[in-house]
Amino acid sequence: MLNKNIVKLAIPLAVGALALTGCSGDSGSGGDGAYKIAFQGPLSGDNVALGENMQNGIELAIEQANAKGDLDFKLEYVAADDQGLPDKATAAAQKVIDDESVVAVVGPAFSGPTNTSSPLYAEAGLVTVSPSATNPNLTDPKNGFKSFLRGVPNDSMQGAGMATYYAKKLQAKKVYLIDDKTDYGVGLASVAEKGLKDAGIEVVRKAVPQKTPDYSATAKDVVNSKADALIYAGYYQDLAPFAKKLKDAGYKGAGISGDGSNDAKFVELAGDASENWFLTCPCTDATVEAGTKKFAEDYQKKFNRAPGTYSAEAYDITNMIIEQVKGLKGDVQREALRDALAKASYKGLTKTFSFDENGEFKGTDVYLYQVKSGKIEYQGNINELVG
Amino acid sequence: MSLQEFWDYLVLGVMLGSLYAVIAIGYTLVYGVLQLINFAHSEVFMLGAYGSLIVLQLVDPGDNPSALASIGFVALAMAGSALFGGMTAYGLEKVAYRPLRRRGAPRLIFLITAIGASFFLYNLAGKLFGRDPLPLPEMYDNHEVFSVFGAGVNITQLLQFATAVVMMIALDLVVNRTKLGKGIRAVAQDAEVAGLMGVDIDKVISRTFVIGGVLGGVAGFLFANLNQVSYTMGFIPGITAFAAAVVGGIGNIRGAMAGGILIGIVETMTVPLLGDEWRSVSAMVVLILVLMFRPTGILGQRVGRAA
């Protein structure tokens, strides 16, 4: 399978190389021997905390690599802010593509922006490795997202994990399932719905668009539906006011949400109302797992706060990229780096990163968290928890 | 939908609608005296919310304040939002609209300026206060106080509704019973003639903006109290309230109240019947229907003739 892909890629590559011989012929390295690693994700806008978590992880990895002194090139960081919005994503991607010294992109962070910007990256041959875009459709070969690699188990795993947890551990009878109408939310909710139905649980599926001005009526609807459990597939900015309204409406059942809400900001915004909420994530807690303790300390020292969701994963992916850049020994072309990364396997602090022929992550682990006394507490691997 | 559910949603709808009504009054007042749609009003609303947040961060309610202290914190937060809202509206009039009026600019220019001022203000707020949403500190222990037709009403909702009603009644009295109100009505009816009769038009316009700004700012606080503060929070409630003002008959204060409550009820009722994704759609359907059959809105008359 891989060989076939290489042949397929080799033809345009060869043609491209011939066409470029007349010009400078160098799309990779910058003039001063510096390679740039970019990040595309929300660095302003509504869900900025999620973007900053990753940005910090990347910056830390780059700083450490430069400081080690065993590189014969310099690494630089470039930020491309897409605000987490699909309509801002193409501009952000174009900015990165036009900067000739960018050799790889960590991100895009969210599924919607990944969907709109991936055709551009594919055309430019610039590899993107996302630590967090989890919509299952992104790796569908029909899309032709040839430069997209996913460094995280997709929502089929996360949604299925939620469904399993509800079915086996909480033994829910009726689940109220909400998506926020984003690519991420709809994808996650659809998988969860299927998992719940397969387990024989009754599902009420609703869509509540982002930025709904008042969640009171929705909360009332949840209570009136007599559901004993709730799944919210969306981001913390919207879940927080919703959780407050649920508490006001007297909802007593369980609540679970995914990695889009798994941030300390959720607890800060929702206050008491966030208590006991379950949060799933394909990410581990860097401050708890043994492998990432050292990373968590370095992170705390540099940014004066604990690493958040996907900080450690973004750090790992950056290091994976750096390793491949080193392997190419001074002649880093975008396509060559993409092909090298697609084949590579890298053992990071959090997990081992490797990809199948569609760029899908190989691996399925999803972890469960729960808000307890105002803190998001790590519970462990879902599959192990349900036993 | 059972009867009990109907009452539940109706009560929620009236609560939300009363907030829309207070914002809608800001649009209507300004339109009444200037025939100008102040699209920057949603930013007055947003900055009002930040005003209350700043005040609350200064005084810091801490955990579990006593009942009396709670009332004090709410009053302070409200004053902060009123101050911010009023100041923003005053500044807008002074910087964005008055120079244009002096030069007799055409109406379209005002509209564009309003939209420009709106973009400027919300991006400025994002820059100043950060682009992450912020929670309003808890000022009191929110619990159910009483019920209407079996639908429970908690403190936040009561506060929201009561403040809105008090502000609306006060405004109605100001416009219909005071000298300033007479001035507002006079300018609304015919600014030129009012000027000839000795009404200081600039002063009246400026005060009208401030009144609208104070109401908008307080609505911003109430909204943030039920939701959260963010620099983008103004847009959706702002547009919805604008629709409410048009439904009620733009330029008519009582119309804005009626329109606001109607839109609030329609939006809330949509949630159990059609789902959340339809709430804005149904609000706009109401707008279109009203405009089709009664282009001036339900109570379509200008401020000057409403009393």
Side-chain angles (χ1 to χ4, degrees), chain B residues 159-188:
Chain B
L159 176 71
Q160 183 182 325
F161 183 68
T163 313
V165 170
V166 168
M167 287 199 301
M168 289 191 274
I169 292 173
L171 179 74
D172 212 62
L173 289 177
V174 166
V175 171
N176 292 321
R177 298 281 165 81
T178 65
K179 201 169 158 213
L180 172 64
K182 215 180 233 175
I184 291 176
R185 281 180 286 143
V187 175

PDB file of all heavy atoms in Angstrom, chain B residues 159-188:
ATOM      1  N   LEU B 159     -34.639  38.823  39.194  1.00  0.00           N
ATOM      2  CA  LEU B 159     -33.846  40.045  39.073  1.00  0.00           C
ATOM      3  C   LEU B 159     -33.949  40.596  37.653  1.00  0.00           C
ATOM      4  O   LEU B 159     -34.179  41.788  37.430  1.00  0.00           O
ATOM      5  CB  LEU B 159     -32.388  39.711  39.408  1.00  0.00           C
ATOM      6  CG  LEU B 159     -31.374  40.838  39.252  1.00  0.00           C
ATOM      7  CD1 LEU B 159     -31.581  41.878  40.334  1.00  0.00           C
ATOM      8  CD2 LEU B 159     -29.954  40.293  39.318  1.00  0.00           C
ATOM      9  N   GLN B 160     -33.797  39.681  36.712  1.00  0.00           N
ATOM     10  CA  GLN B 160     -33.832  40.048  35.308  1.00  0.00           C
ATOM     11  C   GLN B 160     -35.175  40.679  34.947  1.00  0.00           C
ATOM     12  O   GLN B 160     -35.237  41.768  34.364  1.00  0.00           O
ATOM     13  CB  GLN B 160     -33.621  38.731  34.555  1.00  0.00           C
ATOM     14  CG  GLN B 160     -33.539  38.757  33.087  1.00  0.00           C
ATOM     15  CD  GLN B 160     -33.382  37.302  32.619  1.00  0.00           C
ATOM     16  OE1 GLN B 160     -32.737  36.482  33.287  1.00  0.00           O
ATOM     17  NE2 GLN B 160     -33.971  36.967  31.505  1.00  0.00           N
ATOM     18  N   PHE B 161     -36.230  40.013  35.326  1.00  0.00           N
ATOM     19  CA  PHE B 161     -37.560  40.477  34.949  1.00  0.00           C
ATOM     20  C   PHE B 161     -37.911  41.767  35.682  1.00  0.00           C
ATOM     21  O   PHE B 161     -38.362  42.748  35.079  1.00  0.00           O
ATOM     22  CB  PHE B 161     -38.580  39.385  35.258  1.00  0.00           C
ATOM     23  CG  PHE B 161     -39.970  39.730  34.843  1.00  0.00           C
ATOM     24  CD1 PHE B 161     -40.297  39.838  33.493  1.00  0.00           C
ATOM     25  CD2 PHE B 161     -40.953  39.954  35.789  1.00  0.00           C
ATOM     26  CE1 PHE B 161     -41.583  40.166  33.099  1.00  0.00           C
ATOM     27  CE2 PHE B 161     -42.240  40.284  35.400  1.00  0.00           C
ATOM     28  CZ  PHE B 161     -42.559  40.385  34.063  1.00  0.00           C
ATOM     29  N   ALA B 162     -37.665  41.779  36.994  1.00  0.00           N
ATOM     30  CA  ALA B 162     -38.056  42.946  37.790  1.00  0.00           C
ATOM     31  C   ALA B 162     -37.302  44.191  37.323  1.00  0.00           C
ATOM     32  O   ALA B 162     -37.891  45.262  37.168  1.00  0.00           O
ATOM     33  CB  ALA B 162     -37.774  42.685  39.268  1.00  0.00           C
ATOM     34  N   THR B 163     -35.986  44.052  37.093  1.00  0.00           N
ATOM     35  CA  THR B 163     -35.216  45.208  36.645  1.00  0.00           C
ATOM     36  C   THR B 163     -35.744  45.720  35.312  1.00  0.00           C
ATOM     37  O   THR B 163     -35.893  46.932  35.113  1.00  0.00           O
ATOM     38  CB  THR B 163     -33.733  44.833  36.482  1.00  0.00           C
ATOM     39  OG1 THR B 163     -33.321  44.118  37.631  1.00  0.00           O
ATOM     40  CG2 THR B 163     -32.878  46.050  36.303  1.00  0.00           C
ATOM     41  N   ALA B 164     -36.013  44.798  34.417  1.00  0.00           N
ATOM     42  CA  ALA B 164     -36.507  45.210  33.109  1.00  0.00           C
ATOM     43  C   ALA B 164     -37.821  45.972  33.247  1.00  0.00           C
ATOM     44  O   ALA B 164     -37.998  47.042  32.659  1.00  0.00           O
ATOM     45  CB  ALA B 164     -36.683  43.984  32.210  1.00  0.00           C
ATOM     46  N   VAL B 165     -38.729  45.432  34.050  1.00  0.00           N
ATOM     47  CA  VAL B 165     -40.031  46.087  34.203  1.00  0.00           C
ATOM     48  C   VAL B 165     -39.869  47.466  34.835  1.00  0.00           C
ATOM     49  O   VAL B 165     -40.436  48.465  34.352  1.00  0.00           O
ATOM     50  CB  VAL B 165     -40.982  45.212  35.047  1.00  0.00           C
ATOM     51  CG1 VAL B 165     -42.233  45.980  35.425  1.00  0.00           C
ATOM     52  CG2 VAL B 165     -41.339  43.957  34.281  1.00  0.00           C
ATOM     53  N   VAL B 166     -39.060  47.550  35.896  1.00  0.00           N
ATOM     54  CA  VAL B 166     -38.873  48.839  36.560  1.00  0.00           C
ATOM     55  C   VAL B 166     -38.286  49.858  35.587  1.00  0.00           C
ATOM     56  O   VAL B 166     -38.735  51.005  35.495  1.00  0.00           O
ATOM     57  CB  VAL B 166     -37.946  48.678  37.797  1.00  0.00           C
ATOM     58  CG1 VAL B 166     -37.497  50.038  38.315  1.00  0.00           C
ATOM     59  CG2 VAL B 166     -38.657  47.895  38.882  1.00  0.00           C
ATOM     60  N   MET B 167     -37.280  49.422  34.809  1.00  0.00           N
ATOM     61  CA  MET B 167     -36.663  50.354  33.867  1.00  0.00           C
ATOM     62  C   MET B 167     -37.660  50.805  32.806  1.00  0.00           C
ATOM     63  O   MET B 167     -37.680  51.970  32.413  1.00  0.00           O
ATOM     64  CB  MET B 167     -35.441  49.707  33.212  1.00  0.00           C
ATOM     65  CG  MET B 167     -34.259  49.597  34.168  1.00  0.00           C
ATOM     66  SD  MET B 167     -32.693  49.359  33.333  1.00  0.00           S
ATOM     67  CE  MET B 167     -32.989  47.866  32.454  1.00  0.00           C
ATOM     68  N   MET B 168     -38.487  49.893  32.358  1.00  0.00           N
ATOM     69  CA  MET B 168     -39.454  50.261  31.321  1.00  0.00           C
ATOM     70  C   MET B 168     -40.498  51.246  31.846  1.00  0.00           C
ATOM     71  O   MET B 168     -40.831  52.217  31.175  1.00  0.00           O
ATOM     72  CB  MET B 168     -40.109  49.004  30.742  1.00  0.00           C
ATOM     73  CG  MET B 168     -39.141  48.200  29.886  1.00  0.00           C
ATOM     74  SD  MET B 168     -39.913  46.897  28.944  1.00  0.00           S
ATOM     75  CE  MET B 168     -39.949  45.565  30.099  1.00  0.00           C
ATOM     76  N   ILE B 169     -40.974  50.981  33.080  1.00  0.00           N
ATOM     77  CA  ILE B 169     -41.962  51.896  33.653  1.00  0.00           C
ATOM     78  C   ILE B 169     -41.330  53.267  33.867  1.00  0.00           C
ATOM     79  O   ILE B 169     -41.909  54.307  33.511  1.00  0.00           O
ATOM     80  CB  ILE B 169     -42.521  51.335  34.977  1.00  0.00           C
ATOM     81  CG1 ILE B 169     -43.355  50.080  34.691  1.00  0.00           C
ATOM     82  CG2 ILE B 169     -43.371  52.378  35.695  1.00  0.00           C
ATOM     83  CD1 ILE B 169     -43.806  49.344  35.923  1.00  0.00           C
ATOM     84  N   ALA B 170     -40.112  53.276  34.412  1.00  0.00           N
ATOM     85  CA  ALA B 170     -39.434  54.547  34.659  1.00  0.00           C
ATOM     86  C   ALA B 170     -39.273  55.329  33.361  1.00  0.00           C
ATOM     87  O   ALA B 170     -39.523  56.536  33.302  1.00  0.00           O
ATOM     88  CB  ALA B 170     -38.064  54.292  35.299  1.00  0.00           C
ATOM     89  N   LEU B 171     -38.881  54.639  32.313  1.00  0.00           N
ATOM     90  CA  LEU B 171     -38.674  55.317  31.033  1.00  0.00           C
ATOM     91  C   LEU B 171     -39.994  55.890  30.511  1.00  0.00           C
ATOM     92  O   LEU B 171     -40.045  57.023  30.034  1.00  0.00           O
ATOM     93  CB  LEU B 171     -38.097  54.336  30.013  1.00  0.00           C
ATOM     94  CG  LEU B 171     -37.878  54.975  28.655  1.00  0.00           C
ATOM     95  CD1 LEU B 171     -36.680  55.898  28.705  1.00  0.00           C
ATOM     96  CD2 LEU B 171     -37.711  53.933  27.583  1.00  0.00           C
ATOM     97  N   ASP B 172     -41.035  55.088  30.629  1.00  0.00           N
ATOM     98  CA  ASP B 172     -42.338  55.553  30.162  1.00  0.00           C
ATOM     99  C   ASP B 172     -42.732  56.836  30.892  1.00  0.00           C
ATOM    100  O   ASP B 172     -43.231  57.783  30.287  1.00  0.00           O
ATOM    101  CB  ASP B 172     -43.379  54.455  30.414  1.00  0.00           C
ATOM    102  CG  ASP B 172     -44.463  54.483  29.355  1.00  0.00           C
ATOM    103  OD1 ASP B 172     -44.119  54.272  28.176  1.00  0.00           O
ATOM    104  OD2 ASP B 172     -45.626  54.760  29.711  1.00  0.00           O
ATOM    105  N   LEU B 173     -42.468  56.859  32.206  1.00  0.00           N
ATOM    106  CA  LEU B 173     -42.790  58.053  32.996  1.00  0.00           C
ATOM    107  C   LEU B 173     -41.935  59.238  32.541  1.00  0.00           C
ATOM    108  O   LEU B 173     -42.437  60.349  32.370  1.00  0.00           O
ATOM    109  CB  LEU B 173     -42.564  57.790  34.488  1.00  0.00           C
ATOM    110  CG  LEU B 173     -43.577  56.853  35.137  1.00  0.00           C
ATOM    111  CD1 LEU B 173     -43.210  56.602  36.601  1.00  0.00           C
ATOM    112  CD2 LEU B 173     -44.991  57.428  35.048  1.00  0.00           C
ATOM    113  N   VAL B 174     -40.637  58.975  32.349  1.00  0.00           N
ATOM    114  CA  VAL B 174     -39.746  60.073  31.934  1.00  0.00           C
ATOM    115  C   VAL B 174     -40.230  60.678  30.620  1.00  0.00           C
ATOM    116  O   VAL B 174     -40.353  61.890  30.475  1.00  0.00           O
ATOM    117  CB  VAL B 174     -38.282  59.568  31.795  1.00  0.00           C
ATOM    118  CG1 VAL B 174     -37.418  60.585  31.055  1.00  0.00           C
ATOM    119  CG2 VAL B 174     -37.692  59.280  33.163  1.00  0.00           C
ATOM    120  N   VAL B 175     -40.521  59.821  29.671  1.00  0.00           N
ATOM    121  CA  VAL B 175     -40.888  60.335  28.353  1.00  0.00           C
ATOM    122  C   VAL B 175     -42.229  61.061  28.390  1.00  0.00           C
ATOM    123  O   VAL B 175     -42.414  62.082  27.733  1.00  0.00           O
ATOM    124  CB  VAL B 175     -40.916  59.181  27.317  1.00  0.00           C
ATOM    125  CG1 VAL B 175     -41.508  59.648  25.998  1.00  0.00           C
ATOM    126  CG2 VAL B 175     -39.511  58.666  27.094  1.00  0.00           C
ATOM    127  N   ASN B 176     -43.157  60.554  29.197  1.00  0.00           N
ATOM    128  CA  ASN B 176     -44.501  61.151  29.167  1.00  0.00           C
ATOM    129  C   ASN B 176     -44.750  62.231  30.219  1.00  0.00           C
ATOM    130  O   ASN B 176     -45.674  63.014  30.074  1.00  0.00           O
ATOM    131  CB  ASN B 176     -45.556  60.046  29.331  1.00  0.00           C
ATOM    132  CG  ASN B 176     -45.577  59.158  28.111  1.00  0.00           C
ATOM    133  OD1 ASN B 176     -45.450  59.646  26.979  1.00  0.00           O
ATOM    134  ND2 ASN B 176     -45.698  57.862  28.334  1.00  0.00           N
ATOM    135  N   ARG B 177     -43.935  62.268  31.277  1.00  0.00           N
ATOM    136  CA  ARG B 177     -44.276  63.174  32.375  1.00  0.00           C
ATOM    137  C   ARG B 177     -43.255  64.276  32.625  1.00  0.00           C
ATOM    138  O   ARG B 177     -43.556  65.210  33.356  1.00  0.00           O
ATOM    139  CB  ARG B 177     -44.423  62.371  33.683  1.00  0.00           C
ATOM    140  CG  ARG B 177     -45.519  61.334  33.670  1.00  0.00           C
ATOM    141  CD  ARG B 177     -46.874  61.985  33.896  1.00  0.00           C
ATOM    142  NE  ARG B 177     -47.950  61.085  33.531  1.00  0.00           N
ATOM    143  CZ  ARG B 177     -48.413  60.102  34.325  1.00  0.00           C
ATOM    144  NH1 ARG B 177     -47.903  59.940  35.508  1.00  0.00           N
ATOM    145  NH2 ARG B 177     -49.385  59.328  33.928  1.00  0.00           N
ATOM    146  N   THR B 178     -42.024  64.163  32.116  1.00  0.00           N
ATOM    147  CA  THR B 178     -41.029  65.160  32.504  1.00  0.00           C
ATOM    148  C   THR B 178     -40.755  66.143  31.371  1.00  0.00           C
ATOM    149  O   THR B 178     -41.182  65.958  30.235  1.00  0.00           O
ATOM    150  CB  THR B 178     -39.688  64.487  32.872  1.00  0.00           C
ATOM    151  OG1 THR B 178     -39.186  63.870  31.698  1.00  0.00           O
ATOM    152  CG2 THR B 178     -39.845  63.474  33.975  1.00  0.00           C
ATOM    153  N   LYS B 179     -39.995  67.179  31.735  1.00  0.00           N
ATOM    154  CA  LYS B 179     -39.646  68.198  30.750  1.00  0.00           C
ATOM    155  C   LYS B 179     -38.714  67.609  29.680  1.00  0.00           C
ATOM    156  O   LYS B 179     -38.871  67.878  28.489  1.00  0.00           O
ATOM    157  CB  LYS B 179     -38.937  69.360  31.476  1.00  0.00           C
ATOM    158  CG  LYS B 179     -38.986  70.633  30.690  1.00  0.00           C
ATOM    159  CD  LYS B 179     -38.529  71.816  31.538  1.00  0.00           C
ATOM    160  CE  LYS B 179     -38.083  72.928  30.626  1.00  0.00           C
ATOM    161  NZ  LYS B 179     -36.999  73.720  31.170  1.00  0.00           N
ATOM    162  N   LEU B 180     -37.764  66.782  30.149  1.00  0.00           N
ATOM    163  CA  LEU B 180     -36.864  66.136  29.193  1.00  0.00           C
ATOM    164  C   LEU B 180     -37.676  65.282  28.217  1.00  0.00           C
ATOM    165  O   LEU B 180     -37.432  65.289  27.007  1.00  0.00           O
ATOM    166  CB  LEU B 180     -35.847  65.259  29.946  1.00  0.00           C
ATOM    167  CG  LEU B 180     -34.961  64.368  29.071  1.00  0.00           C
ATOM    168  CD1 LEU B 180     -34.071  65.196  28.169  1.00  0.00           C
ATOM    169  CD2 LEU B 180     -34.104  63.436  29.933  1.00  0.00           C
ATOM    170  N   GLY B 181     -38.668  64.577  28.778  1.00  0.00           N
ATOM    171  CA  GLY B 181     -39.515  63.732  27.943  1.00  0.00           C
ATOM    172  C   GLY B 181     -40.261  64.553  26.898  1.00  0.00           C
ATOM    173  O   GLY B 181     -40.391  64.151  25.743  1.00  0.00           O
ATOM    174  N   LYS B 182     -40.723  65.712  27.332  1.00  0.00           N
ATOM    175  CA  LYS B 182     -41.422  66.599  26.412  1.00  0.00           C
ATOM    176  C   LYS B 182     -40.467  66.996  25.282  1.00  0.00           C
ATOM    177  O   LYS B 182     -40.843  67.024  24.110  1.00  0.00           O
ATOM    178  CB  LYS B 182     -41.883  67.849  27.175  1.00  0.00           C
ATOM    179  CG  LYS B 182     -43.205  68.406  26.697  1.00  0.00           C
ATOM    180  CD  LYS B 182     -43.548  69.644  27.527  1.00  0.00           C
ATOM    181  CE  LYS B 182     -44.925  69.544  28.142  1.00  0.00           C
ATOM    182  NZ  LYS B 182     -45.217  70.669  29.030  1.00  0.00           N
ATOM    183  N   GLY B 183     -39.224  67.314  25.669  1.00  0.00           N
ATOM    184  CA  GLY B 183     -38.207  67.672  24.678  1.00  0.00           C
ATOM    185  C   GLY B 183     -37.977  66.532  23.694  1.00  0.00           C
ATOM    186  O   GLY B 183     -37.927  66.739  22.481  1.00  0.00           O
ATOM    187  N   ILE B 184     -37.865  65.318  24.247  1.00  0.00           N
ATOM    188  CA  ILE B 184     -37.634  64.151  23.383  1.00  0.00           C
ATOM    189  C   ILE B 184     -38.789  64.007  22.390  1.00  0.00           C
ATOM    190  O   ILE B 184     -38.579  63.837  21.190  1.00  0.00           O
ATOM    191  CB  ILE B 184     -37.489  62.863  24.228  1.00  0.00           C
ATOM    192  CG1 ILE B 184     -36.180  62.914  25.029  1.00  0.00           C
ATOM    193  CG2 ILE B 184     -37.494  61.620  23.341  1.00  0.00           C
ATOM    194  CD1 ILE B 184     -35.976  61.742  25.980  1.00  0.00           C
ATOM    195  N   ARG B 185     -40.001  64.134  22.934  1.00  0.00           N
ATOM    196  CA  ARG B 185     -41.153  63.979  22.042  1.00  0.00           C
ATOM    197  C   ARG B 185     -41.194  65.085  21.002  1.00  0.00           C
ATOM    198  O   ARG B 185     -41.517  64.855  19.837  1.00  0.00           O
ATOM    199  CB  ARG B 185     -42.445  63.944  22.860  1.00  0.00           C
ATOM    200  CG  ARG B 185     -42.686  62.581  23.504  1.00  0.00           C
ATOM    201  CD  ARG B 185     -43.959  62.560  24.300  1.00  0.00           C
ATOM    202  NE  ARG B 185     -43.806  63.294  25.563  1.00  0.00           N
ATOM    203  CZ  ARG B 185     -44.764  64.038  26.112  1.00  0.00           C
ATOM    204  NH1 ARG B 185     -45.928  64.165  25.513  1.00  0.00           N
ATOM    205  NH2 ARG B 185     -44.560  64.658  27.252  1.00  0.00           N
ATOM    206  N   ALA B 186     -40.824  66.290  21.424  1.00  0.00           N
ATOM    207  CA  ALA B 186     -40.855  67.418  20.490  1.00  0.00           C
ATOM    208  C   ALA B 186     -39.843  67.219  19.361  1.00  0.00           C
ATOM    209  O   ALA B 186     -40.164  67.391  18.183  1.00  0.00           O
ATOM    210  CB  ALA B 186     -40.554  68.716  21.245  1.00  0.00           C
ATOM    211  N   VAL B 187     -38.622  66.826  19.733  1.00  0.00           N
ATOM    212  CA  VAL B 187     -37.593  66.619  18.711  1.00  0.00           C
ATOM    213  C   VAL B 187     -38.003  65.479  17.789  1.00  0.00           C
ATOM    214  O   VAL B 187     -37.786  65.523  16.574  1.00  0.00           O
ATOM    215  CB  VAL B 187     -36.216  66.338  19.353  1.00  0.00           C
ATOM    216  CG1 VAL B 187     -35.182  66.001  18.294  1.00  0.00           C
ATOM    217  CG2 VAL B 187     -35.766  67.539  20.156  1.00  0.00           C
ATOM    218  N   ALA B 188     -38.618  64.448  18.372  1.00  0.00           N
ATOM    219  CA  ALA B 188     -39.034  63.317  17.566  1.00  0.00           C
ATOM    220  C   ALA B 188     -40.076  63.730  16.537  1.00  0.00           C
ATOM    221  O   ALA B 188     -40.069  63.276  15.401  1.00  0.00           O
ATOM    222  CB  ALA B 188     -39.587  62.212  18.463  1.00  0.00           C
TER     223      ALA B 188
END
